[in-house]
Amino acid sequence: MLRFPVKKVVFGSGVCFVLLLLFRVWTSPKSENAFRSFGLEKGPIRHMAELEVRPQSQPPDTLDDTQRVERRFQHRREVLQSACRLYGNSSLFKQFRPAAGFQPFPPYRPVMNKTVYFCGIAKAASTTWSSFFSAIKVFMKAQGVQASNDWAPQSDGEKVYFTFVREPYSRLLSAYVDKLLTPNTLFWRVTGRRTVQKFRADASERSKRCGHDVTFPEFVNYVIDSQRTGENRDAHFVPTHDHCHMCSHPYRYIGHLETIKQDMPYITEAIGSPIQYGRTYDKDTIVQNARMVFLKDRRALVQRCMDLDEASRRLWKKYQIRGIIHKHERFPYARGAAANITLAEFVDKALKAYEASKDKPERKAQRVESLREAFAQIPLEDRIQLQQTLFLDFQMFGFDPFLEDVFPSQPYQPNRKFSYFKIYD
């Protein structure tokens, strides 16, 4: 049985050594040799050649868009199959199981006469797919068909499995922003309090009681620790490889959130969907997230830990991190002035800011900027441990373990005028 070779990162003492270490991180090539040069032993991250899969070549110009997507799906299947041959029976897998007392969500959702199955993974387009399946039901009901599995054409009986995954570092940041940075009293109570109590030595009584102010470095420590110990794991935070029994089923389509605009239409057509994916959910996100804070019951729970001014600003930051609202659209109230803001008032301001945020490429770039800022807060040792925690995600889905935004070749230069993670700036 293969064992994950956990390597200890040994740092010398002294300011000079630390400065030298940081200099090498910033200036060395992104390779295992670079990490070995400043005291790290050879890590477990394998290169594509070691996985017996050739890197995906540039598709020839003669291919049309559909053929390019088909080739991409084929390459992803080959990467997954190669990783499963190497690690499929490994003790590295810790398939996620809900805590005692929680009803597990069915891992596979039949969407076509029990021959097409979708396995949703938290923070990897699972909500988008759920909304899409709901839209199918609405459409079919309007056509006089009640059951969602009656829409499909005749199948040859072969089961088709598909799923969506996401770049691992981005997925974790998204989970942090959605469940801990944004007002979410359930996750504050369960994950936030445990994280503060375990990883903050000087936590205030309010932080211990509420768990409302977990920092991203503390969250990363929680992820590493929970995966190592198997304790306090949550489906939103565990690595992708611990979902969906990836090596047990022949997945035909492995979509990536990063290419959802090409992958999702292709899949919906391939499985015979009666409608096509073609809408954005930005406005829905603004409204639904606001309702999670401002509706009467939720509002009271949030206000036990922070006032609505801070809660509103956190929501605004989330919209900017996700690239829904441009970072130049600042929160429209002076500090403390939104303490009594209503749902309607907040949504109105947010939707106006969304409409004013016309520069879509810049808004998309905000996702990358926020990722860089977030991981610049994480010590190198913790980033290395997180990389090892996500080891199989990189191997199975072809993502870069040495992502430039996480392991930059140049020193990170913070924006002195704006921060995605400072609530008051």
Side-chain angles (χ1 to χ4, degrees):
M1 180 177 294
L2 292 171
R3 294 285 181 182
F4 184 61
V6 178
K7 303 295 183 182
K8 294 185 178 180
V9 183
V10 180
F11 292 90
S13 60
V15 175
C16 292
F17 182 81
V18 172
L19 291 175
L20 176 62
L21 177 66
L22 292 174
F23 176 78
R24 289 188 175 182
V25 172
W26 290 331
T27 59
S28 297
K30 294 185 298 178
S31 67
E32 292 174 29
N33 290 333
F35 281 84
R36 195 182 304 118
S37 72
F38 53 78
L40 293 176
E41 298 181 29
K42 183 177 179 181
I45 305 299
R46 292 176 178 266
H47 296 292
M48 191 64 72
E50 296 181 73
L51 289 177
E52 304 171 358
V53 177
R54 294 181 180 179
Q56 186 176 15
S57 59
Q58 189 70 20
D61 293 336
T62 56
L63 296 182
D64 60 30
D65 291 342
T66 299
Q67 291 172 323
R68 290 171 186 271
V69 176
E70 288 174 348
R71 175 169 289 196
R72 190 162 61 205
F73 279 127
Q74 178 183 354
H75 177 73
R76 291 170 182 172
R77 287 193 297 270
E78 291 171 351
V79 171
L80 176 62
Q81 290 165 4
S82 181
C84 286
R85 285 195 296 271
L86 284 170
Y87 306 109
N89 296 319
S90 171
S91 62
L92 297 179
F93 286 94
K94 300 176 182 177
Q95 195 68 30
F96 176 72
R97 294 287 184 272
F102 285 85
Q103 183 66 29
F105 184 81
Y108 303 104
R109 179 172 183 166
V111 294
M112 189 181 91
N113 294 333
K114 297 185 178 180
T115 59
V116 175
Y117 292 82
F118 169 69
C119 187
I121 298 172
K123 307 310 302 175
S126 58
T127 301
T128 299
W129 276 104
S130 294
S131 299
F132 183 77
F133 295 143
S134 297
I136 290 177
K137 289 184 178 180
V138 172
F139 175 83
M140 295 310 297
K141 186 175 182 179
Q143 303 298 313
V145 180
Q146 297 298 320
S148 62
N149 60 4
D150 288 342
W151 51 261
Q154 291 296 319
S155 170
D156 59 8
E158 181 184 0
K159 291 184 178 181
V160 176
Y161 292 91
F162 74 97
T163 188
F164 255 70
V165 299
R166 181 177 188 175
E167 195 286 312
Y169 298 121
S170 297
R171 177 174 174 263
L172 279 185
L173 177 59
S174 177
Y176 166 75
V177 170
D178 193 42
K179 304 304 179 185
L180 293 168
L181 179 66
T182 304
N184 190 317
T185 55
L186 173 60
F187 280 87
W188 285 354
R189 186 170 64 251
V190 177
T191 304
R193 290 197 301 194
R194 288 171 176 166
T195 301
V196 167
Q197 292 168 8
K198 188 164 188 176
F199 298 107
R200 190 183 305 172
D202 58 347
S204 67
E205 290 304 315
R206 184 169 69 132
S207 295
K208 292 177 182 178
R209 183 183 77 252
C210 290
H212 66 297
D213 57 353
V214 173
T215 65
F216 187 61
E218 290 169 342
F219 171 73
V220 168
N221 283 328
Y222 153 77
V223 171
I224 295 169
D225 182 74
S226 64
Q227 192 70 3
R228 177 180 59 83
T229 63
E231 298 175 355
N232 305 319
R233 302 172 80 222
D234 182 273
H236 296 84
F237 310 139
V238 299
T240 300
H241 67 261
D242 277 346
H243 294 271
C244 295
H245 303 277
M246 291 293 181
C247 293
S248 300
H249 300 288
Y251 280 91
R252 183 176 298 183
Y253 305 115
I254 305 166
H256 285 198
L257 182 66
E258 292 74 17
T259 53
I260 190 172
K261 289 186 177 180
Q262 297 83 42
D263 295 352
M264 192 167 180
Y266 181 93
I267 293 173
T268 56
E269 183 174 350
I271 65 176
S273 168
I275 63 175
Q276 283 294 309
Y277 166 79
R279 61 168 296 189
T280 61
Y281 295 93
D282 288 346
K283 291 184 178 180
D284 294 345
T285 297
I286 288 174
V287 175
Q288 292 170 4
N289 286 188
R291 289 171 64 88
M292 291 285 289
V293 174
F294 289 98
L295 287 184
K296 185 176 180 180
D297 292 344
R298 302 296 182 94
R299 183 186 187 111
L301 291 173
V302 169
Q303 287 181 303
R304 292 178 183 177
C305 298
M306 67 176 59
D307 61 29
L308 288 182
D309 184 79
E310 181 178 348
S312 301
R313 290 171 182 273
R314 287 183 179 224
L315 268 180
W316 202 270
K317 288 291 187 180
K318 175 181 178 176
Y319 301 153
Q320 292 175 322
I321 290 169
R322 290 190 56 173
I324 296 174
I325 291 178
H326 199 286
K327 65 182 180 182
H328 294 155
E329 294 292 328
R330 297 303 179 91
F331 188 69
Y333 292 90
R335 183 164 184 166
N340 296 308
I341 190 173
T342 66
L343 172 63
E345 291 170 339
F346 178 85
V347 169
D348 177 67
K349 296 290 187 183
L351 290 176
K352 286 180 179 178
Y354 170 73
E355 295 297 339
S357 303
K358 298 298 184 183
D359 196 328
K360 194 170 184 178
E362 280 196 17
R363 287 192 286 126
K364 187 175 181 180
Q366 290 173 196
R367 303 174 192 174
V368 177
E369 292 174 1
S370 60
L371 184 70
R372 290 173 179 167
E373 181 182 336
F375 277 94
Q377 305 172 44
I378 309 301
L380 174 64
E381 181 177 6
D382 291 345
R383 276 179 281 155
I384 293 294
Q385 289 187 38
L386 181 63
Q387 184 194 69
Q388 294 179 336
T389 298
L390 300 172
F391 165 67
L392 282 179
D393 284 6
F394 301 120
Q395 303 301 291
M396 297 171 71
F397 308 114
F399 292 109
D400 183 5
F402 296 98
L403 191 69
E404 173 70 18
D405 302 317
V406 177
F407 295 96
S409 55
Q410 298 295 325
Y412 173 73
Q413 299 294 334
N415 185 334
R416 298 185 182 278
K417 296 182 179 180
F418 178 84
S419 169
Y420 291 98
F421 299 98
K422 290 181 181 178
I423 306 305
Y424 295 95
D425 56 5

